[in-house]
Amino acid sequence: MTLYEVNYALNLIVQLMLGVFLFNNLCKSKHGFVVTLGCYYLPFLIIQILSLHYTKLPQSVYSASKMLLTFIILMTFYEASIKRALSILGLFTVLQLICEFPSIGIVKLLGYNIFSNYSSVNGSVYITVGRIYIINLFLVMILAAVYIYSRKHDNDTHRLTDLLMIFVFDVLHMLFLIFYYKVNFKSVTEIDNLVQILFQGILIMLLLVQYHNTRRTRSLIKTEQELRLMKEEKEYNYKYYLLAESKLDDVSGLVGELSEQINSFRERIKISNDPIETDSFMDNIDRKLNSIKIVNFCENKTINAVLTLKLNEDRVKPIRTQIVLKGCDALSEISDYDLCSLVSNLFDNAVNSCLRTAAPDKAFIEIKSDIKNEFFVMRVSNSCEDDESQLTAPKGEGHGYGLKITKDICKRNNGELRLDRKNNVMHTTVFLRTV
């Protein structure tokens, strides 16, 4: 193997490393970066070696083989559909082609015209120089592609900063290469190219590792914050559960107290028929009955207690509510705490959505439930704005993770959570297996 071929093999590693970096940012990877790169590079190198030493086949056959290999890698090592894999393959190929001509122009400006005899099997030392520049230009194109894609698919404001850091170092390195080859262009050798390729590869590898570590650190910080907020949300739900249970006990105690007073009054009315005493007694009962309101929406006491508390909140009073619950007696296997958290989060989410509408006084919430195909199904429908997403709606400190907690509850009970918005109505449906 000649030094020219060694340089080409090393240059190819860096080129495919950038390709894997691009794929990882456009698709969800199934394997690690090193594993994917190794499985991509080795067969790619074999195809290239064959193209250099077995020239009976036209170069177009080898080019098609490389594209097929890239497609197989995308389908095997990434969660990508055929259409998605083909679009990424097309992007990867186009970016490579775009970078070749500027690199040829740079080498020509430095003093050597390689355009006329450029080919994949040409052994000129200046062809290697051109391939070194291709890597720098290719990295710039990949950074642009990643930024454009991420801008459409996530709201991460830090990604641009991370990509800009790589871009700055890449541009500085390219300026260094232009200066280096301008000074030494007439005496450049493949040994010089080998040193530059090794330095270039190490620099890009370190930049990508730094990018990955920075992204991972931010992800861990975000996850830690989410866990803290979810913990606070769960603590809030638990306190609400205790409050609901307390209110239910208050109602039970009030019913018992009134029952005793009524029995006592019946005994006393037999002895004395005093209208003033009768009115005073009835006023006392009215005050106690009005002190707390509870409605039996269903057979489950926890759901009744939670909905009673929620409907008595001042912020809910302008909202029109309709509640028709069936099949709640099938929820005996689900803990009271989970039920409280589930109903509380769904109701709060619907109320918050209604209050963000232009006319909260015209907003509505409808809650219905029933048993369907061995599942308890509860559907909450509520008013919402056209551009609103209840999955990402902001809440206060310690709140905002109600739907995530709801998803966890559904998962624990072999169910699922579905959200669907039609026009200005959000439908949130919970499925809980009952058997």
Side-chain angles (χ1 to χ4, degrees):
M1 180 180 289
T2 65
L3 193 56
Y4 168 79
E5 292 173 334
V6 171
N7 284 339
Y8 184 87
L10 293 175
N11 183 271
L12 184 61
I13 291 178
V14 183
Q15 182 179 343
L16 296 187
M17 181 168 61
L18 295 180
V20 174
F21 173 73
L22 175 66
F23 303 156
N24 283 354
N25 279 274
L26 300 187
C27 293
K28 185 176 181 180
S29 177
K30 297 179 182 179
H31 303 277
F33 187 94
V34 176
V35 174
T36 304
L37 178 60
C39 293
Y40 189 21
Y41 173 72
L42 292 177
F44 201 103
L45 181 61
I46 292 173
I47 295 173
Q48 185 59 35
I49 292 174
L50 290 175
S51 71
L52 293 173
H53 298 281
Y54 187 76
T55 57
K56 292 182 179 180
L57 291 176
Q59 288 297 313
S60 59
V61 173
Y62 295 111
S63 297
S65 299
K66 295 173 187 176
M67 294 178 68
L68 178 61
L69 172 63
T70 303
F71 178 76
I72 293 173
I73 290 294
L74 286 167
M75 293 297 298
T76 306
F77 287 83
Y78 295 89
E79 296 180 3
S81 62
I82 294 178
K83 181 179 179 181
R84 182 69 178 158
L86 288 173
S87 65
I88 296 175
L89 171 61
L91 175 64
F92 182 60
T93 305
V94 169
L95 293 181
Q96 287 178 302
L97 293 174
I98 290 175
C99 295
E100 287 194 5
F101 294 101
S103 65
I104 293 173
I106 292 174
V107 177
K108 184 177 179 181
L109 289 174
L110 292 174
Y112 189 84
N113 186 2
I114 62 174
F115 187 83
S116 60
N117 60 354
Y118 177 78
S119 70
S120 60
V121 295
N122 189 303
S124 167
V125 66
Y126 299 105
I127 296 295
T128 304
V129 176
R131 290 193 178 118
I132 292 175
Y133 285 122
I134 285 177
I135 294 298
N136 289 97
L137 294 170
F138 191 39
L139 179 54
V140 171
M141 300 300 295
I142 285 179
L143 294 176
V146 170
Y147 172 69
I148 293 173
Y149 175 82
S150 62
R151 189 178 178 184
K152 293 180 179 179
H153 292 82
D154 63 52
N155 297 319
D156 191 346
T157 57
H158 298 289
R159 188 185 295 270
L160 177 59
T161 303
D162 299 335
L163 294 175
L164 279 175
M165 183 193 70
I166 301 178
F167 173 79
V168 169
F169 276 94
D170 183 56
V171 170
L172 291 175
H173 179 248
M174 191 167 185
L175 292 174
F176 165 77
L177 287 175
I178 292 175
F179 174 78
Y180 174 83
Y181 282 114
K182 183 64 177 178
V183 173
N184 304 285
F185 203 69
K186 298 300 181 180
S187 60
V188 66
T189 65
E190 286 295 355
I191 293 292
D192 298 323
N193 288 334
L194 176 62
V195 173
Q196 295 304 326
I197 290 174
L198 289 173
F199 179 78
Q200 182 186 55
I202 293 172
L203 175 65
I204 292 178
M205 181 179 65
L206 292 176
L207 288 174
L208 297 186
V209 168
Q210 176 63 28
Y211 174 84
H212 172 75
N213 289 338
T214 301
R215 303 291 305 166
R216 190 167 184 270
T217 300
R218 288 203 178 101
S219 177
L220 291 174
I221 292 174
K222 183 179 179 182
T223 301
E224 183 180 2
Q225 292 174 342
E226 289 182 350
L227 290 174
R228 178 178 59 82
L229 292 174
M230 287 185 69
K231 180 181 178 182
E232 293 177 0
E233 182 86 4
K234 288 185 176 182
E235 290 175 351
Y236 165 79
N237 290 334
Y238 182 68
K239 291 177 181 178
Y240 201 87
Y241 166 70
L242 295 178
L243 178 62
E245 291 293 299
S246 174
K247 289 294 184 182
L248 193 64
D249 292 340
D250 290 344
V251 171
S252 300
L254 179 60
V255 170
E257 180 184 344
L258 291 177
S259 178
E260 292 179 0
Q261 290 189 15
I262 290 173
N263 289 332
S264 174
F265 179 76
R266 284 175 178 170
E267 295 297 326
R268 294 173 62 184
I269 201 68
K270 294 178 182 178
I271 302 173
S272 172
N273 190 15
D274 188 349
I276 297 177
E277 183 179 0
T278 302
D279 291 341
S280 175
F281 176 77
M282 297 307 298
D283 289 342
N284 183 44
I285 290 180
D286 284 338
R287 284 194 301 272
K288 290 184 177 180
L289 287 175
N290 291 327
S291 64
I292 186 167
K293 297 178 181 179
I294 189 166
V295 180
N296 288 320
F297 297 102
C298 64
E299 302 86 349
N300 188 282
K301 67 174 186 178
T302 300
I303 294 178
N304 286 333
V306 171
L307 290 178
T308 296
L309 287 177
K310 292 296 182 183
L311 291 171
N312 276 280
E313 294 179 1
D314 292 336
R315 65 177 188 147
V316 181
K317 292 179 181 179
I319 302 173
R320 177 172 58 86
T321 59
Q322 181 182 2
I323 301 176
V324 180
L325 301 180
K326 299 179 182 179
C328 296
D329 55 336
L331 298 173
S332 57
E333 297 299 322
I334 301 176
S335 70
D336 289 339
Y337 171 71
D338 277 354
L339 275 180
C340 177
S341 181
L342 182 82
V343 177
S344 176
N345 285 321
L346 289 176
F347 194 87
D348 282 343
N349 213 56
V351 171
N352 291 332
S353 181
C354 289
L355 295 178
R356 286 192 292 269
T357 58
D361 55 324
K362 296 182 180 179
F364 69 90
I365 297 175
E366 294 180 357
I367 305 177
K368 296 181 180 180
S369 70
D370 207 344
I371 302 295
K372 293 183 179 180
N373 299 326
E374 300 181 346
F375 279 90
F376 172 78
V377 182
M378 176 178 284
R379 182 167 185 168
V380 180
S381 303
N382 60 269
S383 308
C384 69
E385 294 290 353
D386 288 336
D387 59 346
E388 180 180 2
S389 172
Q390 289 189 238
L391 284 172
T392 57
K395 306 290 189 297
E397 180 70 17
H399 302 279
Y401 293 90
L403 286 178
K404 290 186 178 181
I405 295 174
T406 302
K407 286 181 181 179
D408 290 340
I409 295 173
C410 293
K411 186 176 181 181
R412 284 200 302 272
N413 293 278
N414 299 315
E416 65 175 306
L417 174 68
R418 296 179 186 174
L419 288 97
D420 178 41
R421 186 176 64 218
K422 294 181 179 179
N423 298 324
N424 291 337
V425 179
M426 176 68 76
H427 301 286
T428 307
T429 308
V430 168
F431 297 83
L432 300 174
R433 183 172 288 277
T434 58
V435 293

